[in-house]
Amino acid sequence: FARVGAGGLPPFEVDEARRRLDRLGVLDDARAAVDAYVASGLAALGVLPPGPAADALRALAASLAHRTA
């Protein structure tokens, strides 16, 4: 994993790296952290007046939280 910070993994190694991270429980921890940050961000957006800008920010938070790669 040292190479991740030095330009990334070659594409053929990504699947194995993901399997290793999953076995370690890191992916579940990361998903939980993302969910907590998104919930916090959405709560902070609660002070905005209703409208297209607030809706767009909420949609952006939701889309970032559910992206896979």
Side-chain angles (χ1 to χ4, degrees), residues 21-39:
L21 291 169
D22 195 30
R23 280 194 305 266
L24 292 170
V26 173
L27 298 181
D28 290 335
D29 292 346
R31 286 183 197 103
V34 167
D35 289 345
Y37 281 116
V38 169

